Coordinates of all heavy atoms in Angstrom, one line a residue:
M1 N -47.9 23.1 -66.2 CA -47.2 22.8 -67.4 C -47.0 21.3 -67.5 O -46.8 20.5 -66.6 CB -45.8 23.4 -67.4 CG -45.0 23.3 -68.7 SD -43.6 22.2 -68.4 CE -43.5 21.6 -70.1
S2 N -47.3 20.8 -68.8 CA -47.2 19.3 -69.0 C -46.8 19.1 -70.5 O -46.9 20.1 -71.3 CB -48.4 18.6 -68.7 OG -49.5 19.0 -69.5
W3 N -46.3 17.9 -70.8 CA -46.0 17.6 -72.1 C -47.1 16.7 -72.7 O -47.7 15.9 -72.1 CB -44.7 16.8 -72.2 CG -43.5 17.6 -71.7 CD1 -42.9 17.5 -70.4 CD2 -42.8 18.6 -72.4 NE1 -41.8 18.3 -70.4 CE2 -41.7 19.1 -71.5 CE3 -42.9 19.1 -73.7 CZ2 -40.9 20.0 -72.0 CZ3 -42.1 20.2 -74.1 CH2 -41.0 20.6 -73.2
I4 N -47.4 17.0 -74.0 CA -48.4 16.2 -74.7 C -47.7 15.5 -75.9 O -47.0 16.1 -76.6 CB -49.6 17.1 -75.2 CG1 -50.3 17.7 -74.2 CG2 -50.4 16.3 -76.1 CD1 -51.3 18.7 -74.6
T5 N -47.9 14.1 -76.0 CA -47.3 13.4 -77.0 C -48.3 13.4 -78.2 O -49.5 13.2 -78.1 CB -47.1 11.9 -76.6 OG1 -46.2 11.9 -75.5 CG2 -46.5 11.1 -77.7
I6 N -47.7 13.7 -79.4 CA -48.5 13.8 -80.6 C -48.1 12.5 -81.4 O -47.0 12.5 -82.0 CB -48.2 15.0 -81.4 CG1 -48.4 16.2 -80.5 CG2 -49.1 15.1 -82.7 CD1 -48.0 17.6 -81.2
P7 N -49.0 11.6 -81.4 CA -48.6 10.3 -82.2 C -48.6 10.5 -83.7 O -49.3 11.4 -84.2 CB -49.7 9.3 -81.8 CG -50.8 10.1 -81.3 CD -50.2 11.4 -80.8
N8 N -47.8 9.8 -84.4 CA -47.7 9.8 -85.9 C -47.3 11.2 -86.4 O -47.8 11.5 -87.5 CB -49.0 9.4 -86.4 CG -49.5 8.0 -86.1 OD1 -48.6 7.0 -86.0 ND2 -50.7 7.9 -85.7
Y9 N -46.5 11.9 -85.7 CA -46.0 13.2 -86.1 C -44.5 13.3 -85.9 O -44.0 12.8 -84.8 CB -46.7 14.3 -85.3 CG -46.5 15.7 -85.8 CD1 -47.1 16.1 -87.0 CD2 -45.6 16.5 -85.2 CE1 -46.8 17.4 -87.5 CE2 -45.4 17.8 -85.7 CZ -46.1 18.3 -86.8 OH -45.9 19.5 -87.3
G10 N -43.7 13.7 -86.8 CA -42.3 13.8 -86.6 C -41.5 12.7 -87.1 O -42.0 11.8 -87.8
R11 N -40.2 12.8 -86.9 CA -39.2 11.9 -87.5 C -39.2 10.5 -86.9 O -38.8 9.6 -87.4 CB -37.9 12.5 -87.6 CG -37.7 13.7 -88.5 CD -36.3 14.2 -88.6 NE -35.3 13.3 -88.9 CZ -34.8 13.1 -90.1 NH1 -35.3 13.8 -91.1 NH2 -33.9 12.2 -90.3
A12 N -39.7 10.6 -85.6 CA -39.5 9.3 -84.8 C -40.9 8.7 -84.4 O -41.0 8.2 -83.4 CB -38.7 9.5 -83.6
R13 N -41.9 8.8 -85.3 CA -43.2 8.3 -85.0 C -44.0 9.0 -84.0 O -45.2 8.7 -83.7 CB -43.2 6.8 -84.8 CG -42.6 6.0 -85.9 CD -42.7 4.5 -85.7 NE -42.0 4.1 -84.5 CZ -40.7 3.7 -84.4 NH1 -40.0 3.8 -85.4 NH2 -40.2 3.4 -83.3
S14 N -43.5 10.0 -83.4 CA -44.2 10.9 -82.4 C -43.5 12.1 -82.2 O -42.3 12.3 -82.5 CB -44.5 10.1 -81.2 OG -43.4 9.9 -80.5
A15 N -44.1 13.1 -81.6 CA -43.5 14.3 -81.2 C -44.1 14.8 -79.9 O -45.0 14.2 -79.4 CB -43.8 15.4 -82.3
V16 N -43.5 15.8 -79.2 CA -44.1 16.3 -78.0 C -44.3 17.9 -78.2 O -43.6 18.6 -79.0 CB -43.1 16.1 -76.8 CG1 -43.1 14.6 -76.5 CG2 -41.7 16.6 -77.0
T17 N -45.2 18.4 -77.4 CA -45.5 19.8 -77.3 C -45.9 20.1 -75.9 O -46.2 19.3 -75.1 CB -46.6 20.2 -78.2 OG1 -46.6 21.6 -78.3 CG2 -47.9 19.7 -77.8
V18 N -45.6 21.4 -75.6 CA -45.9 21.8 -74.2 C -47.4 22.3 -74.1 O -47.9 22.8 -75.1 CB -45.0 23.0 -73.8 CG1 -45.2 24.2 -74.6 CG2 -45.1 23.3 -72.3
S19 N -47.9 22.1 -73.0 CA -49.3 22.6 -72.7 C -49.3 23.2 -71.4 O -48.7 22.8 -70.4 CB -50.3 21.4 -72.7 OG -51.6 21.8 -72.3
P20 N -49.9 24.5 -71.3 CA -50.6 25.2 -72.3 C -49.6 25.8 -73.4 O -48.4 26.1 -73.0 CB -51.4 26.2 -71.6 CG -50.6 26.5 -70.3 CD -50.0 25.2 -70.0
G21 N -50.0 25.9 -74.6 CA -49.1 26.5 -75.6 C -48.7 27.9 -75.4 O -47.7 28.3 -76.0
N22 N -49.5 28.7 -74.7 CA -49.1 30.0 -74.4 C -48.5 30.3 -73.0 O -48.5 31.3 -72.4 CB -50.4 31.0 -74.6 CG -51.4 30.6 -73.5 OD1 -51.4 29.6 -72.8 ND2 -52.5 31.3 -73.5
L23 N -47.8 29.3 -72.6 CA -47.2 29.3 -71.3 C -46.1 30.4 -71.3 O -45.3 30.6 -72.2 CB -46.5 27.9 -70.9 CG -45.9 27.8 -69.6 CD1 -47.0 27.8 -68.5 CD2 -45.1 26.5 -69.6
A24 N -46.0 31.2 -70.2 CA -45.0 32.3 -70.1 C -43.7 31.6 -69.9 O -43.5 30.4 -69.6 CB -45.3 33.1 -68.9
A25 N -42.6 32.4 -70.2 CA -41.2 31.9 -70.1 C -41.1 31.4 -68.7 O -41.5 31.9 -67.7 CB -40.2 33.0 -70.4
Q26 N -40.3 30.3 -68.5 CA -40.1 29.6 -67.2 C -38.6 29.7 -66.9 O -37.8 29.6 -67.8 CB -40.6 28.2 -67.3 CG -42.1 28.0 -67.6 CD -42.9 28.7 -66.5 OE1 -42.9 28.3 -65.3 NE2 -43.8 29.5 -67.0
P27 N -38.3 29.8 -65.6 CA -36.8 29.7 -65.2 C -36.2 28.3 -65.4 O -37.0 27.3 -65.4 CB -36.8 30.1 -63.8 CG -38.2 29.7 -63.3 CD -39.1 29.9 -64.5
L28 N -35.0 28.3 -65.9 CA -34.3 27.0 -66.0 C -33.8 26.4 -64.7 O -32.8 26.8 -64.2 CB -33.2 27.1 -67.0 CG -33.6 27.5 -68.4 CD1 -32.3 27.8 -69.3 CD2 -34.4 26.5 -69.0
T29 N -34.6 25.6 -64.1 CA -34.2 25.0 -62.7 C -34.2 23.5 -62.9 O -34.9 22.9 -63.8 CB -35.2 25.4 -61.6 OG1 -36.5 25.0 -62.0 CG2 -35.3 27.0 -61.5
Q30 N -33.6 22.8 -62.0 CA -33.6 21.4 -61.9 C -35.0 20.7 -61.7 O -35.3 19.6 -62.1 CB -32.6 20.9 -60.8 CG -31.2 21.3 -61.0 CD -30.5 20.0 -61.5 OE1 -30.9 18.9 -61.4 NE2 -29.2 20.3 -61.9
N31 N -35.9 21.5 -61.0 CA -37.2 21.0 -60.6 C -38.2 21.2 -61.7 O -39.3 20.7 -61.6 CB -37.6 21.6 -59.3 CG -36.7 21.2 -58.2 OD1 -36.2 20.1 -58.2 ND2 -36.5 22.1 -57.3
F32 N -37.9 22.0 -62.7 CA -38.9 22.3 -63.7 C -39.1 21.1 -64.7 O -38.0 20.5 -65.0 CB -38.5 23.5 -64.5 CG -39.7 24.1 -65.3 CD1 -40.7 24.7 -64.7 CD2 -39.8 23.9 -66.7 CE1 -41.8 25.2 -65.4 CE2 -40.9 24.3 -67.4 CZ -41.9 25.0 -66.7
P33 N -40.2 20.7 -65.2 CA -40.4 19.6 -66.0 C -39.5 19.8 -67.3 O -39.4 20.8 -67.8 CB -41.9 19.6 -66.4 CG -42.5 20.3 -65.3 CD -41.5 21.3 -64.8
H34 N -39.0 18.6 -67.7 CA -38.1 18.7 -68.9 C -38.1 17.4 -69.6 O -38.7 16.3 -69.1 CB -36.7 19.0 -68.5 CG -36.1 17.9 -67.5 ND1 -36.4 18.0 -66.2 CD2 -35.4 16.8 -67.7 CE1 -35.8 16.9 -65.6 NE2 -35.2 16.2 -66.5
L35 N -37.7 17.3 -70.8 CA -37.6 16.0 -71.6 C -36.1 15.5 -71.4 O -35.2 16.3 -71.4 CB -37.9 16.2 -73.1 CG -39.2 16.7 -73.3 CD1 -39.4 17.0 -74.8 CD2 -40.2 15.6 -72.9
S36 N -35.9 14.2 -71.3 CA -34.6 13.7 -71.1 C -34.4 12.5 -72.0 O -35.3 11.6 -72.1 CB -34.4 13.3 -69.7 OG -33.1 12.7 -69.4
Y37 N -33.3 12.4 -72.7 CA -33.0 11.3 -73.6 C -31.6 10.7 -73.3 O -30.7 11.5 -72.9 CB -33.0 11.7 -75.0 CG -34.3 12.4 -75.5 CD1 -34.5 13.7 -75.4 CD2 -35.2 11.5 -76.1 CE1 -35.8 14.3 -75.9 CE2 -36.5 12.0 -76.5 CZ -36.7 13.4 -76.3 OH -37.9 13.9 -76.8
T38 N -31.6 9.4 -73.3 CA -30.3 8.7 -72.9 C -29.6 8.3 -74.3 O -30.2 7.8 -75.2 CB -30.6 7.4 -72.1 OG1 -31.2 7.9 -70.9 CG2 -29.3 6.7 -71.8
F39 N -28.2 8.7 -74.3 CA -27.5 8.2 -75.5 C -26.1 8.0 -75.0 O -25.7 8.4 -73.9 CB -27.5 9.2 -76.6 CG -27.0 10.5 -76.3 CD1 -25.6 10.9 -76.6 CD2 -27.7 11.5 -75.7 CE1 -25.1 12.0 -76.3 CE2 -27.2 12.8 -75.4 CZ -25.8 13.0 -75.7
T40 N -25.3 7.2 -75.8 CA -23.9 6.8 -75.4 C -23.0 7.2 -76.4 O -23.3 6.9 -77.7 CB -23.9 5.3 -75.2 OG1 -24.8 4.9 -74.2 CG2 -22.5 4.9 -74.8
L41 N -21.9 7.8 -76.1 CA -20.8 8.1 -77.0 C -19.7 7.1 -76.7 O -19.3 6.8 -75.5 CB -20.3 9.5 -76.9 CG -21.3 10.6 -77.2 CD1 -20.7 11.9 -76.9 CD2 -21.8 10.4 -78.7
F42 N -19.1 6.5 -77.7 CA -18.0 5.5 -77.4 C -16.6 6.1 -77.4 O -15.7 5.4 -77.2 CB -18.1 4.4 -78.5 CG -19.4 3.6 -78.3 CD1 -20.5 3.8 -79.1 CD2 -19.6 2.7 -77.2 CE1 -21.7 3.1 -78.9 CE2 -20.8 2.0 -77.0 CZ -21.8 2.2 -77.8
D43 N -16.5 7.4 -77.8 CA -15.2 7.9 -77.7 C -15.3 9.5 -77.3 O -16.5 10.0 -77.4 CB -14.4 7.8 -79.0 CG -15.1 8.3 -80.2 OD1 -16.0 9.1 -80.1 OD2 -14.7 7.8 -81.3
D44 N -14.2 10.1 -77.0 CA -14.3 11.5 -76.6 C -14.2 12.4 -77.9 O -13.1 12.5 -78.4 CB -13.1 11.9 -75.7 CG -13.2 13.3 -75.2 OD1 -14.3 13.9 -75.2 OD2 -12.2 13.8 -74.7
T45 N -15.4 12.8 -78.4 CA -15.4 13.6 -79.6 C -16.5 14.7 -79.5 O -17.3 14.7 -78.7 CB -15.8 12.5 -80.7 OG1 -15.7 13.2 -82.0 CG2 -17.2 12.0 -80.6
D46 N -16.4 15.6 -80.5 CA -17.3 16.7 -80.6 C -18.6 16.1 -81.3 O -18.4 15.2 -82.1 CB -16.8 17.9 -81.4 CG -15.7 18.6 -80.7 OD1 -15.7 18.5 -79.4 OD2 -14.9 19.3 -81.4
I47 N -19.7 16.6 -80.9 CA -20.9 16.1 -81.5 C -21.7 17.3 -82.1 O -21.5 18.6 -81.6 CB -21.8 15.3 -80.5 CG1 -22.3 16.1 -79.4 CG2 -21.1 14.1 -80.1 CD1 -23.4 15.6 -78.6
T48 N -22.6 17.1 -83.0 CA -23.6 18.1 -83.4 C -25.0 17.6 -83.1 O -25.3 16.5 -83.4 CB -23.5 18.2 -85.0 OG1 -22.2 18.6 -85.3 CG2 -24.5 19.2 -85.5
L49 N -25.7 18.4 -82.4 CA -27.0 18.1 -82.0 C -28.0 18.8 -82.9 O -27.9 20.0 -83.1 CB -27.3 18.5 -80.5 CG -28.6 18.4 -79.9 CD1 -28.9 16.8 -79.7 CD2 -28.9 19.1 -78.7
E50 N -28.9 18.0 -83.5 CA -29.9 18.6 -84.4 C -31.2 18.5 -83.8 O -31.6 17.4 -83.3 CB -29.9 17.9 -85.8 CG -28.5 18.1 -86.5 CD -28.6 17.3 -87.8 OE1 -29.6 16.7 -88.2 OE2 -27.5 17.4 -88.6
S51 N -32.0 19.5 -83.8 CA -33.4 19.5 -83.4 C -34.3 19.7 -84.6 O -34.1 20.5 -85.5 CB -33.6 20.7 -82.5 OG -32.8 20.6 -81.3
Y52 N -35.3 18.9 -84.6 CA -36.3 18.9 -85.7 C -37.5 19.6 -85.0 O -38.2 19.0 -84.1 CB -36.6 17.6 -86.3 CG -35.5 17.0 -86.9 CD1 -34.6 16.2 -86.4 CD2 -35.3 17.3 -88.3 CE1 -33.4 15.7 -87.1 CE2 -34.2 16.8 -89.0 CZ -33.3 16.0 -88.3 OH -32.2 15.6 -89.1
L53 N -37.8 20.8 -85.5 CA -39.0 21.6 -84.9 C -40.0 21.8 -85.8 O -39.8 22.2 -87.0 CB -38.4 22.9 -84.3 CG -37.3 22.8 -83.3 CD1 -36.6 24.1 -83.1 CD2 -37.7 22.1 -82.0
A54 N -41.3 21.6 -85.5 CA -42.4 21.9 -86.4 C -42.5 23.4 -86.6 O -42.3 24.2 -85.7 CB -43.7 21.3 -85.8
P55 N -42.9 23.8 -87.8 CA -43.1 25.2 -88.1 C -44.2 25.7 -87.1 O -45.2 25.1 -86.8 CB -43.7 25.2 -89.5 CG -43.2 23.9 -90.1 CD -43.2 22.9 -89.0
T56 N -44.0 26.9 -86.7 CA -44.9 27.5 -85.7 C -44.9 29.0 -85.9 O -44.0 29.6 -86.4 CB -44.6 27.2 -84.3 OG1 -45.5 27.7 -83.4 CG2 -43.2 27.7 -83.8
Y57 N -46.0 29.6 -85.6 CA -46.2 31.0 -85.7 C -45.6 31.7 -84.5 O -45.6 31.3 -83.4 CB -47.7 31.4 -85.8 CG -47.9 32.9 -85.9 CD1 -47.6 33.5 -87.0 CD2 -48.6 33.5 -84.9 CE1 -47.9 34.9 -87.2 CE2 -48.8 34.9 -85.0 CZ -48.5 35.6 -86.1 OH -48.7 36.9 -86.3
N58 N -44.9 32.8 -84.8 CA -44.1 33.5 -83.7 C -45.2 34.5 -83.0 O -45.3 35.6 -83.3 CB -43.0 34.4 -84.2 CG -42.3 35.1 -83.1 OD1 -42.5 34.9 -82.0 ND2 -41.3 35.9 -83.6
F59 N -46.0 33.9 -82.1 CA -47.0 34.6 -81.5 C -46.5 35.4 -80.3 O -47.2 36.2 -79.7 CB -48.2 33.8 -81.0 CG -47.8 32.7 -80.0 CD1 -47.9 33.0 -78.6 CD2 -47.4 31.4 -80.4 CE1 -47.6 32.0 -77.7 CE2 -47.1 30.4 -79.5 CZ -47.1 30.8 -78.1
K60 N -45.3 35.3 -80.0 CA -44.6 36.1 -78.9 C -43.8 37.1 -79.6 O -42.6 37.1 -79.5 CB -43.9 35.3 -78.0 CG -44.7 34.4 -77.1 CD -43.8 33.6 -76.1 CE -44.7 33.0 -75.1 NZ -44.4 33.3 -73.7
R61 N -44.4 38.0 -80.3 CA -43.7 39.0 -81.1 C -42.5 39.7 -80.4 O -42.6 40.1 -79.3 CB -44.6 40.2 -81.5 CG -45.7 39.7 -82.5 CD -45.4 40.1 -83.9 NE -46.4 39.7 -84.8 CZ -46.1 39.0 -85.9 NH1 -44.9 38.8 -86.2 NH2 -47.1 38.7 -86.6
G62 N -41.3 39.6 -81.1 CA -40.1 40.2 -80.6 C -39.4 39.3 -79.6 O -38.2 39.5 -79.3
E63 N -40.1 38.3 -79.1 CA -39.4 37.5 -78.1 C -39.1 36.1 -78.7 O -38.0 35.5 -78.4 CB -40.5 37.2 -77.0 CG -39.8 36.9 -75.6 CD -40.9 36.7 -74.6 OE1 -41.8 37.6 -74.5 OE2 -40.9 35.7 -73.9
G64 N -39.8 35.6 -79.6 CA -39.6 34.3 -80.2 C -39.9 33.2 -79.2 O -40.2 33.4 -78.1
L65 N -39.9 31.9 -79.8 CA -40.2 30.8 -78.9 C -38.8 30.2 -78.7 O -38.0 29.9 -79.5 CB -41.1 29.8 -79.7 CG -42.5 30.3 -80.0 CD1 -43.2 29.2 -80.8 CD2 -43.2 30.6 -78.7
K66 N -38.5 29.9 -77.4 CA -37.2 29.5 -77.0 C -37.3 28.1 -76.3 O -38.3 27.7 -75.7 CB -36.6 30.5 -75.9 CG -36.5 31.9 -76.5 CD -36.1 32.8 -75.5 CE -36.0 34.2 -76.0 NZ -35.8 35.3 -75.1
F67 N -36.2 27.3 -76.5 CA -36.0 26.1 -75.7 C -34.5 26.1 -75.3 O -33.6 26.7 -75.8 CB -36.5 24.9 -76.6 CG -35.6 24.7 -77.8 CD1 -34.7 23.7 -77.8 CD2 -35.8 25.4 -79.0 CE1 -33.9 23.4 -79.0 CE2 -35.0 25.2 -80.1 CZ -34.1 24.2 -80.1
A68 N -34.2 25.2 -74.3 CA -32.9 25.1 -73.9 C -32.4 23.6 -74.0 O -33.2 22.7 -74.0 CB -32.8 25.4 -72.4
V69 N -31.1 23.4 -74.2 CA -30.5 22.1 -74.4 C -29.3 22.0 -73.4 O -28.5 23.0 -73.4 CB -30.0 21.9 -75.9 CG1 -29.3 20.6 -76.0 CG2 -31.2 22.0 -76.8
A70 N -29.2 20.9 -72.7 CA -28.0 20.6 -71.9 C -27.7 19.2 -72.0 O -28.5 18.3 -72.2 CB -28.3 21.0 -70.4
I71 N -26.3 18.9 -72.1 CA -25.9 17.6 -72.1 C -25.0 17.3 -70.9 O -24.1 18.1 -70.5 CB -25.1 17.3 -73.4 CG1 -26.0 17.4 -74.6 CG2 -24.4 15.9 -73.3 CD1 -25.2 17.3 -76.0
D72 N -25.3 16.2 -70.2 CA -24.6 15.9 -68.9 C -24.8 17.0 -67.9 O -25.9 17.5 -67.8 CB -23.1 15.5 -69.1 CG -23.0 14.3 -69.9 OD1 -23.9 13.4 -69.8 OD2 -21.9 14.1 -70.5
D73 N -23.8 17.5 -67.3 CA -23.8 18.5 -66.2 C -23.5 19.9 -66.8 O -23.2 20.9 -66.0 CB -22.9 18.2 -65.1 CG -23.3 16.9 -64.4 OD1 -24.6 16.7 -64.3 OD2 -22.4 16.1 -63.9
E74 N -23.5 20.1 -68.1 CA -23.2 21.4 -68.7 C -24.4 22.3 -68.4 O -25.6 21.9 -68.3 CB -23.0 21.3 -70.2 CG -21.7 20.5 -70.6 CD -20.5 21.2 -70.2 OE1 -20.4 22.5 -70.3 OE2 -19.6 20.6 -69.7
P75 N -24.2 23.6 -68.4 CA -25.2 24.6 -68.2 C -26.1 24.5 -69.5 O -25.6 24.4 -70.6 CB -24.6 26.0 -68.0 CG -23.2 25.7 -68.5 CD -22.9 24.3 -68.4
P76 N -27.4 24.8 -69.3 CA -28.4 24.8 -70.5 C -27.9 26.0 -71.4 O -27.6 27.0 -71.1 CB -29.7 25.0 -69.9 CG -29.6 24.7 -68.4 CD -28.1 24.9 -68.1
Q77 N -28.1 25.7 -72.7 CA -27.9 26.7 -73.8 C -29.3 27.0 -74.3 O -30.0 26.1 -74.8 CB -27.0 26.2 -74.9 CG -25.6 26.0 -74.5 CD -24.7 25.4 -75.6 OE1 -24.9 25.8 -76.7 NE2 -23.8 24.5 -75.3
T78 N -29.7 28.2 -74.2 CA -31.1 28.7 -74.7 C -31.0 29.0 -76.2 O -30.1 29.8 -76.6 CB -31.6 29.8 -73.9 OG1 -31.6 29.4 -72.6 CG2 -33.0 30.2 -74.3
L79 N -31.9 28.5 -77.0 CA -32.0 28.7 -78.4 C -33.4 29.3 -78.7 O -34.3 29.0 -78.0 CB -31.8 27.3 -79.1 CG -30.6 26.6 -78.8 CD1 -30.6 25.3 -79.3 CD2 -29.3 27.3 -79.4
N80 N -33.4 30.2 -79.7 CA -34.6 30.8 -80.1 C -35.1 30.3 -81.4 O -34.3 30.5 -82.4 CB -34.4 32.3 -80.1 CG -35.7 33.1 -80.4 OD1 -36.7 32.6 -81.0 ND2 -35.8 34.3 -79.8
L81 N -36.2 29.6 -81.4 CA -36.7 29.0 -82.7 C -36.8 30.1 -83.9 O -36.7 29.8 -85.0 CB -38.0 28.3 -82.4 CG -38.9 27.8 -83.6 CD1 -38.1 26.7 -84.3 CD2 -40.2 27.3 -83.1
H82 N -37.1 31.4 -83.4 CA -37.4 32.4 -84.4 C -36.2 33.3 -84.7 O -36.3 34.3 -85.4 CB -38.6 33.2 -84.0 CG -39.8 32.4 -84.0 ND1 -40.5 32.0 -82.9 CD2 -40.6 31.9 -85.1 CE1 -41.5 31.3 -83.2 NE2 -41.6 31.2 -84.5
D83 N -35.1 32.9 -84.2 CA -33.8 33.7 -84.6 C -33.2 33.0 -85.8 O -32.4 32.1 -85.7 CB -32.8 33.6 -83.4 CG -31.6 34.4 -83.7 OD1 -31.4 35.1 -84.7 OD2 -30.6 34.3 -82.9
V84 N -33.6 33.5 -86.9 CA -33.2 32.9 -88.2 C -32.1 33.6 -88.9 O -31.8 33.2 -90.0 CB -34.4 32.8 -89.1 CG1 -35.5 31.8 -88.5 CG2 -35.0 34.1 -89.4
T85 N -31.5 34.6 -88.3 CA -30.5 35.3 -89.0 C -29.3 34.5 -89.4 O -28.7 34.7 -90.4 CB -30.0 36.6 -88.2 OG1 -29.6 36.1 -86.9 CG2 -31.2 37.6 -88.0
G86 N -29.0 33.6 -88.6 CA -27.8 32.7 -88.9 C -28.1 31.7 -90.0 O -27.2 31.2 -90.7
I87 N -29.4 31.4 -90.2 CA -29.9 30.4 -91.2 C -30.1 31.0 -92.5 O -29.7 30.6 -93.5 CB -31.1 29.6 -90.6 CG1 -30.7 28.9 -89.3 CG2 -31.5 28.6 -91.7 CD1 -31.9 28.3 -88.6
W88 N -31.0 32.0 -92.5 CA -31.5 32.6 -93.7 C -30.9 34.1 -93.9 O -31.3 34.7 -94.8 CB -33.0 32.8 -93.7 CG -33.6 31.4 -93.5 CD1 -34.2 31.0 -92.3 CD2 -33.8 30.3 -94.5 NE1 -34.7 29.7 -92.6 CE2 -34.4 29.3 -93.8 CE3 -33.3 30.2 -95.8 CZ2 -34.6 28.1 -94.5 CZ3 -33.5 29.0 -96.4 CH2 -34.2 28.0 -95.7
G89 N -30.1 34.5 -93.1 CA -29.3 35.8 -93.3 C -30.4 36.9 -93.0 O -30.2 38.0 -93.6
G90 N -31.4 36.7 -92.3 CA -32.4 37.7 -92.0 C -33.5 37.8 -93.1 O -34.4 38.7 -93.1
A91 N -33.4 36.9 -94.1 CA -34.3 37.1 -95.3 C -35.8 36.8 -95.0 O -36.7 37.2 -95.7 CB -33.9 36.2 -96.4
S92 N -36.0 36.1 -93.9 CA -37.4 35.7 -93.5 C -38.1 36.7 -92.6 O -39.1 36.4 -92.2 CB -37.5 34.2 -93.0 OG -36.8 34.2 -91.8
E93 N -37.4 37.7 -92.2 CA -38.0 38.6 -91.2 C -38.9 39.5 -91.9 O -38.9 39.9 -93.0 CB -36.8 39.4 -90.6 CG -35.9 38.5 -89.8 CD -34.7 39.3 -89.2 OE1 -34.6 40.5 -89.5 OE2 -33.9 38.7 -88.4

């Protein structure tokens, strides 16, 4: 498994994708490859994390494409790119 940078794509002049694209689900462990970003908060406040994801076909029918997010030492929260019921009320299913 590796990350591929896609230049001139996305909101920040580049994007990343996993390779191979049909990789089976992987366990969330400290040793598994991941992306890491450094940011600083100047006060103790709640934040909203927004992810900008390219449209993609749900080729893992019924399973969806998933990714996990963790900040600091919190446990990862797994999100499903194709779970749209909260966004579209199931209208796109």
Side-chain angles (χ1 to χ4, degrees):
M1 186 251 150
S2 63
W3 296 104
I4 297 173
T5 301
I6 305 170
N8 303 314
Y9 189 76
R11 290 181 59 95
R13 297 184 303 270
S14 66
V16 291
T17 189
V18 66
S19 179
N22 62 351
L23 187 68
Q26 302 294 306
L28 297 175
T29 65
Q30 295 256 348
N31 297 327
F32 196 74
H34 61 277
L35 298 175
S36 179
Y37 299 92
T38 301
F39 63 93
T40 302
L41 298 176
F42 295 103
D43 54 23
D44 186 18
T45 186
D46 290 337
I47 64 168
T48 299
L49 178 69
E50 295 182 0
S51 297
Y52 293 91
L53 307 168
T56 185
Y57 180 69
N58 184 4
F59 62 89
K60 293 185 168 232
R61 293 257 179 228
E63 205 177 317
L65 297 176
K66 299 174 185 171
F67 66 101
V69 175
I71 296 177
D72 291 335
D73 296 324
E74 294 293 320
Q77 296 180 36
T78 302
L79 306 165
N80 187 331
L81 174 64
H82 293 106
D83 180 8
V84 296
T85 55
I87 300 169
W88 302 108
S92 67
E93 294 177 357

